[in-house]
Amino acid sequence: MNFNTNLQNLRKIHNLSQEQLAEKLDVSRQAVSKWENGTSYPEMDKLLILCDIFSLNMDELVKGNISLDDNSFKEDKALYENAQNKFSKMITLGVFLILLGVTIMSMSDGLINGGNFFINTFSSISTILFFILVTIAVFIFVYFGINHAHFVEEHPYFDDFYTKEEKSAYNRLFAGMMAVGVGIILVAVTILVGVEEILKTDVDDIPAAIGLFMFMITIAVSIFTYFGMQKAKYDINGYNKENKHHDIYSPEKNSLIGKVSGVIMLIATFIYLSLGFIWNLWHPGWVVFPLGGVLCAIATIIIGDDK
């Protein structure tokens, strides 16, 4: 009997979630899931309702061979993957740019005490470059964050088109990349401690070591960010559940979130500049930016909450 396969394909063809079909049949979503998995079978009255919903007779529903439109299914998968992959890449790029700016600033802080004209010039250039990188990163977060929210609003539901083999293969890749990220951090710490022990000097006086350490941390965090977001991509059920009440993020609220976040980061930049130029606190002052990011996240939660 092909009933379980037919039901699954019919639901996808008619763009119905298991929950939506369950509501039409006045049953639980779990019941529909069991029918599609072949672990249970609906009663006769439910079969008759299904025939009415999909405009089929009993033989077609139970014994027929209803195939899914492969092209339509592939188009949905391509649409979802393109959106999620682009979002993952751009957010990772934003994180990378901010940490790269911090890396450059860390190196310049180690050189600034030298008093050399060229060193001071490099320090000034590095400061300007830092703000350029942060500005680009903030633009990426706001622009692609709002675009992704609009995509979710237009496509709040997708069928789970990833096979168990695809999910298992990615889980293995994810575990491997997490191990690589942790390994990079451990190597970075080892190098930093080793240089300090070998040269018998404070590592803060070795700009090259600090720069290498921060760059390796930047690579590791970027790995964590990208592959973590990619792992979430494979959780279609989580995506559907999370976006069940997606309407609370209206375009108006998304616009307000972007404006508030922009103001927060501008204030953070002003504070950082004030700390640097007035009190020469360039190195500890950069902490205002992660704090600004936390405030942006809080603003997003508060503004997006329809309660």
Side-chain angles (χ1 to χ4, degrees), residues 294-306:
V294 172
L295 291 176
C296 289
I298 294 173
T300 300
I301 293 171
I302 294 174
I303 296 172
D305 191 350
D306 62 345

Side-chain angles (χ1 to χ4, degrees), residues 28-296:
S28 66
R29 186 197 64 79
Q30 289 77 10
V32 175
S33 178
K34 288 180 180 179
W35 297 345
E36 292 186 356
N37 292 333
T39 56
S40 68
Y41 194 76
E43 298 177 354
M44 181 59 67
D45 61 327
K46 303 303 180 185
L47 285 173
L48 293 173
I49 296 174
L50 285 170
C51 289
D52 289 337
I53 292 173
F54 299 123
S55 301
L56 298 171
N57 59 45
M58 190 70 71
D59 283 343
E60 290 174 325
L61 177 63
V62 176
K63 299 180 181 179
N65 185 19
I66 301 171
S67 62
L68 188 66
D69 184 350
D70 291 336
N71 289 331
S72 175
F73 200 56
K74 289 179 180 178
E75 287 176 4
D76 281 349
K77 184 175 182 179
L79 177 69
Y80 175 82
E81 282 207 321
N82 288 338
Q84 296 289 31
N85 290 343
K86 184 176 183 180
F87 186 58
S88 299
K89 291 175 182 177
M90 297 313 298
I91 295 303
T92 302
L93 176 60
V95 170
F96 176 82
L97 291 176
I98 289 178
L99 293 179
L100 181 62
V102 172
T103 300
I104 294 172
M105 285 294 293
S106 299
M107 291 182 63
S108 68
D109 285 344
L111 293 169
I112 198 169
N113 295 324
N116 184 279
F117 171 77
F118 294 104
I119 291 177
N120 290 334
T121 301
F122 170 76
S123 179
S124 299
I125 294 175
S126 67
T127 301
I128 296 172
L129 184 58
F130 171 78
F131 285 115
I132 292 174
L133 293 174
V134 170
T135 300
I136 295 173
V138 171
F139 172 81
I140 288 172
F141 292 147
V142 174
Y143 179 80
F144 288 97
I146 292 176
N147 279 350
H148 187 71
H150 287 164
F151 172 82
V152 171
E153 190 172 334
E154 294 174 358
H155 307 280
Y157 176 84
F158 283 96
D159 287 304
D160 192 350
F161 28 60
Y162 292 113
T163 64
K164 289 183 178 179
E165 290 75 15
E166 288 177 313
K167 292 179 180 179
S168 296
Y170 182 78
N171 284 335
R172 290 192 295 271
L173 175 62
F174 176 76
M177 295 311 299
M178 292 302 101
V180 169
V182 171
I184 290 174
I185 292 176
L186 293 176
V187 170
V189 172
T190 301
I191 292 175
L192 201 63
V193 173
V195 168
E196 192 172 41
E197 288 296 320
I198 293 172
L199 299 181
K200 302 298 181 181
T201 184
D202 192 332
V203 74
D204 290 337
D205 298 328
I206 312 173
I210 296 174
L212 178 60
F213 172 79
M214 288 301 304
F215 185 72
M216 293 179 73
I217 296 298
T218 298
I219 296 298
V221 172
S222 299
I223 289 173
F224 294 148
T225 302
Y226 178 76
F227 288 96
M229 295 182 72
Q230 284 289 290
K231 182 173 176 59
K233 179 186 77 173
Y234 284 86
D235 185 12
I236 301 291
N237 291 330
Y239 174 93
N240 294 335
K241 183 178 180 180
E242 180 181 350
N243 301 317
K244 180 179 179 181
H245 302 294
H246 67 283
D247 55 310
I248 66 174
Y249 294 101
S250 62
E252 293 79 9
K253 287 186 177 181
N254 283 323
S255 177
L256 180 58
I257 289 170
K259 291 176 181 177
V260 171
S261 299
V263 170
I264 290 173
M265 295 311 296
L266 284 174
I267 293 173
T269 302
F270 174 77
I271 293 173
Y272 178 78
L273 287 173
S274 299
L275 291 172
F277 286 114
I278 298 175
W279 293 286
N280 198 31
L281 297 175
W282 294 106
H283 183 63
W286 66 267
V287 74
V288 300
F289 289 105
L291 289 176
V294 172
L295 291 176
C296 289

